[in-house]
Amino acid sequence: MYQINFNHPIHIYFIGIGGISMSGLAEILLTENFRISGSDRAPSELTQTLEERGATVYYGQREENLTSDIDLVVYTSAIKSDNPEMIAANRLNIPLLTRAQLLGQMMRNYKVPIAISGTHGKTTTTSMISQILLENHDDPTLSIGGIYKPIGGNIRVGSSEHFVTEACEYTNSFLSLFPKIGIILNIEEDHLDFFTDIQDIRNSFHKFALLLPSDGTLIINGDIDHYEEITAGLSCRVITYGSSSAFDYSPSEITYDASGYPSFHLMRKDGKKESFSLQVPGEHNVYNAIAAIALADILGIPSEISAGALLAFGGTDRRFEYKGKVNGFTIIDDYAHHPTEIAATLTAAKNYPHKTTWCVFQPHTYTRTKAFLKDFAKSLALADEVILADIYAAREKDTLGISSQTLQADIEQLGHRCYYFASFEEIQDFILKNCTKDDLLITMGAGDIVKIGENLLQK
């Protein structure tokens, strides 16, 4: 495998440089005096930021974008061998690294690399940890899978020993990382276009845990089914958190304020009890916060710093994000695209002040929709009213005979009303006619469903 020498910056080309993770890595390398170029399908705020900081970005992926002065090409799992720029890289004999391999090499430049993994909650927990480190003036380097407003994006380049990043299991990319501290938030079925089943996924998380060195630490959610199988054979320290007082950290007396934000007592195994309050909704965020607190304890950060940081934490883009009001109803946007995430968001919404909950859901990929069809129906039925948009295909093609109308039928079989519209314009018109004062409208999904709320706010 090609190895980067950070003392000798080179010219690196990113295929798909506009992605949230790829753009972040490119931005870090720009600060390290690397020459950066790359391509993407269309301009975005992320690519424009890179261009302002000195990167060369091509729009459209073509063989002629690659030149002989490029020393390394970085690509993601979405890029296939028939991609014209991959063909050009191979023809020019330019070395190749995956995004994860590059991230792993970058982690080795830091004394305390920290990787946050799990099927759900990575971006929120990484952002909570970032908030704590920033409040403690630790000057960390951060790589977050979403836009985190306090740093004005998804990347922050610091000068301390701390490097914090999300660790994604898709295509086993997190197995290319080199963390000293790892967090496993949860393990559930997802990405079944790559993994065989839940056992295959669990095996990958076990391999991720085995990456930790003997002087490292794994923080793991003890509520994961048979979590001991994931920690078996580890030489590092293991810290557990979860719903049981048998774990090292657990919550008690969870309450919600008028805005639906939780407060809780944190119980440590040594008997110490402390109070924490959050400004993000939902019980799931209580557990995300506990994982962040456990990490802060490892790093020696005082509890009062963690408590203040978590109280100040206002979430990240597309995670129960308040967008505004139209005709007296509130618009929230959320990235949830897995049944467990949907259930967590809609359960959190019950504590948010409102009259009727409307959920506008855009399924994400055909494989995920088919694999979890019944679970999607049950989770979405937690909303008072459900509206479906067409499936967002992402990297896939429609070869499975599945559609949003299939999901609509399953929701209706549960005795729950569900609407389907083929275009965003029809959805927007329906909302304006049917949502009333004090209703709560949640646009939900990992595609471009956020545009509905943004369009409504412009009317």
Side-chain angles (χ1 to χ4, degrees):
M1 182 192 303
Y2 184 89
Q3 296 292 322
I4 293 175
N5 183 344
F6 286 85
N7 294 318
H8 297 282
I10 58 173
H11 182 185
I12 302 181
Y13 188 95
F14 287 77
I15 305 178
I17 198 169
I20 191 75
S21 179
M22 291 280 271
S23 63
L25 299 182
E27 190 172 335
I28 292 175
L29 291 170
L30 280 168
T31 66
E32 298 286 343
N33 299 314
F34 282 73
R35 182 183 170 193
I36 300 299
S37 60
S39 63
D40 216 280
R41 287 178 292 182
S44 67
E45 289 185 15
L46 294 173
T47 59
Q48 288 166 9
T49 297
L50 289 173
E51 289 181 290
E52 289 168 3
R53 297 183 180 180
T56 300
V57 181
Y58 301 96
Y59 297 104
Q61 293 176 350
R62 297 176 291 272
E63 287 193 43
E64 56 265 30
N65 292 346
L66 274 81
T67 53
S68 59
D69 63 330
I70 295 170
D71 301 296
L72 174 68
V73 169
V74 179
Y75 65 101
T76 69
S77 56
I79 303 300
K80 307 303 179 186
S81 59
D82 60 353
N83 180 282
E85 294 184 344
M86 284 289 282
I87 292 170
N90 287 315
R91 177 173 51 80
L92 295 168
N93 293 316
I94 301 173
L96 297 162
L97 284 180
T98 66
R99 178 204 62 83
Q101 289 168 339
L102 173 63
L103 175 57
Q105 291 192 25
M106 294 171 71
M107 292 177 79
R108 285 180 151 170
N109 279 337
Y110 296 83
K111 186 177 178 181
V112 187
I114 301 161
I116 296 89
S117 73
T119 311
H120 324 293
K122 292 186 290 295
T123 296
T124 296
T125 307
T126 303
S127 300
M128 287 177 168
I129 290 166
S130 300
Q131 186 96 15
I132 293 171
L133 289 169
L134 291 171
E135 296 261 347
N136 199 49
H137 306 293
D138 279 329
D139 197 21
T141 296
L142 309 172
S143 176
I144 304 171
I147 302 301
Y148 174 50
K149 288 183 176 66
I151 62 174
N154 66 312
I155 284 293
R156 180 187 189 274
V157 181
S159 59
S160 77
E161 61 189 12
H162 299 117
F163 182 96
V164 183
T165 185
E166 294 184 31
C168 181
E169 74 275 17
Y170 184 56
T171 68
N172 282 330
S173 64
F174 62 176
L175 300 186
S176 295
L177 306 185
F178 295 94
K180 185 169 184 180
I181 301 175
I183 297 177
I184 300 179
L185 300 168
N186 38 63
I187 303 174
E188 294 192 34
E189 281 187 314
D190 199 8
H191 301 302
L192 295 177
D193 56 329
F194 175 77
F195 292 110
T196 304
D197 52 25
I198 185 61
Q199 192 55 50
D200 189 20
I201 297 169
R202 288 172 61 86
N203 288 339
S204 286
F205 275 94
H206 178 54
K207 291 175 182 176
F208 170 73
L210 288 170
L211 296 174
L212 294 161
S214 58
D215 61 344
T217 304
L218 174 68
I219 300 168
I220 187 168
N221 185 343
D223 290 324
I224 293 170
D225 189 34
H226 299 295
Y227 82 89
E228 299 91 347
E229 295 176 358
I230 309 301
T231 61
L234 299 188
S235 59
C236 67
R237 176 169 55 155
V238 175
I239 292 174
T240 59
Y241 72 95
S243 58
S244 169
S245 59
F247 300 134
D248 296 312
Y249 295 81
S250 61
S252 68
E253 302 171 63
I254 301 173
T255 60
Y256 297 88
D257 66 13
S259 297
Y261 299 140
S263 295
F264 62 97
H265 288 121
L266 176 67
M267 308 299 296
R268 290 179 169 85
K269 206 168 185 180
D270 61 6
K272 189 177 180 182
K273 181 178 179 180
E274 292 179 298
S275 296
F276 291 85
S277 295
L278 306 179
Q279 293 295 305
V280 286
E283 185 175 305
H284 61 294
N285 276 321
V286 170
Y287 290 97
N288 290 337
I290 292 174
I293 295 164
L295 173 66
D297 285 356
I298 293 170
L299 299 178
I301 297 173
S303 290
E304 56 268 24
I305 296 289
S306 297
L310 289 170
L311 182 60
F313 176 70
T316 56
D317 281 11
R318 304 221 60 213
R319 273 71 178 178
F320 211 90
E321 181 187 5
Y322 175 83
K323 303 295 287 188
K325 284 193 173 186
V326 176
N327 297 344
F329 64 84
T330 299
I331 299 175
I332 297 288
D333 182 61
D334 198 274
Y335 190 70
H337 56 286
H338 181 283
T340 301
E341 296 167 347
I342 294 167
T345 297
L346 293 177
T347 299
K350 292 181 184 300
N351 293 302
Y352 193 91
H354 70 285
K355 186 174 63 178
T356 300
T357 304
W358 293 79
C359 179
V360 185
F361 180 62
Q362 180 185 47
H364 189 263
T365 72
Y366 299 102
T367 53
R368 183 181 282 115
T369 305
K370 184 172 184 178
F372 301 117
L373 192 64
K374 301 297 182 184
D375 294 323
F376 274 126
K378 291 176 184 176
S379 295
L380 288 165
L382 292 171
D384 298 314
E385 302 284 353
V386 182
I387 304 170
L388 297 179
D390 276 329
I391 293 172
Y392 188 85
R395 56 188 173 266
E396 296 182 349
K397 295 181 180 179
D398 182 8
T399 60
L400 300 175
I402 200 83
S403 71
S404 290
Q405 288 152 299
T406 316
L407 177 56
Q408 179 190 24
D410 275 36
I411 294 171
E412 290 175 340
Q413 282 180 5
L414 295 174
H416 200 84
R417 187 164 52 201
C418 179
Y419 306 93
Y420 161 77
F421 299 99
S423 70
F424 282 6
E425 290 78 13
E426 291 173 276
I427 292 174
Q428 289 158 197
D429 289 343
F430 181 82
I431 289 168
L432 289 173
K433 291 175 183 176
N434 291 277
C435 279
T436 59
K437 186 177 182 295
D438 296 328
D439 282 357
L440 178 63
L441 175 73
I442 305 176
T443 57
M444 184 180 288
D448 59 354
I449 195 70
V450 63
K451 292 178 181 177
I452 285 181
E454 293 173 346
N455 292 341
L456 288 170
L457 288 168
Q458 292 173 5
K459 289 185 179 292

